[in-house]
Amino acid sequence: MDIKTATALRRLRLVSAPEAVSFLLLLVCSVLKRTTDFNAVPVMGAVHGVLFILYVIFWADAWNRARWSARTGVLYFFLSVLPTGGFFAERKLKREAEDAVVASRAFAEGAVKA
């Protein structure tokens, strides 16, 4: 995995958890708006909107650079529209990055021995 691909995956991973948190907070604010006088929906809506747009931009970049299959690309997008999906995306992306590091180390060790 080259550095640009690793960076794209890292950016997507770093924005996925905050995007999920903002989605959950927006849902809580929506309930509070309807049950109390507390109305933070405009603020949380804007925060979540910015984080979601960043997620989609980083998702598109990661899909392009990592050469994911259509199924994998759609899965990561689908996870972005679920309230807790960003947490699963972050965990899956972290595992993918760790696997790439292990593979590159094994390749480097094999090249040194040969």
Side-chain angles (χ1 to χ4, degrees):
M1 177 182 305
D2 66 341
I3 190 72
K4 289 184 179 182
T5 303
T7 302
L9 292 174
R10 185 169 190 269
R11 277 194 309 250
L12 180 60
R13 186 173 65 88
L14 290 176
V15 79
S16 62
E19 190 272 336
V21 169
S22 72
F23 194 179
L24 292 172
L25 288 174
L26 180 59
L27 292 175
V28 169
C29 288
S30 295
V31 170
L32 290 175
K33 175 184 175 184
R34 285 160 178 73
T35 59
T36 67
D37 292 333
F38 183 74
N39 184 10
V41 170
V43 173
M44 278 313 303
V47 169
H48 174 66
V50 167
L51 288 170
F52 182 74
I53 288 170
L54 284 174
Y55 184 96
V56 171
I57 291 169
F58 295 158
W59 163 79
D61 185 39
W63 188 355
N64 182 42
R65 291 187 187 278
R67 307 266 186 239
W68 288 331
S69 65
R71 181 179 180 195
T72 302
V74 169
L75 171 68
Y76 280 117
F77 185 79
F78 180 69
L79 288 173
S80 73
V81 297
L82 296 175
T84 58
F87 299 119
F88 295 106
E90 193 274 335
R91 201 173 316 145
K92 191 167 174 52
L93 287 163
K94 184 177 181 182
R95 200 172 312 127
E96 187 175 328
E98 289 169 351
D99 291 346
V101 168
V102 168
S104 67
R105 285 183 183 158
F107 178 76
E109 286 176 5
V112 170
K113 289 180 183 177

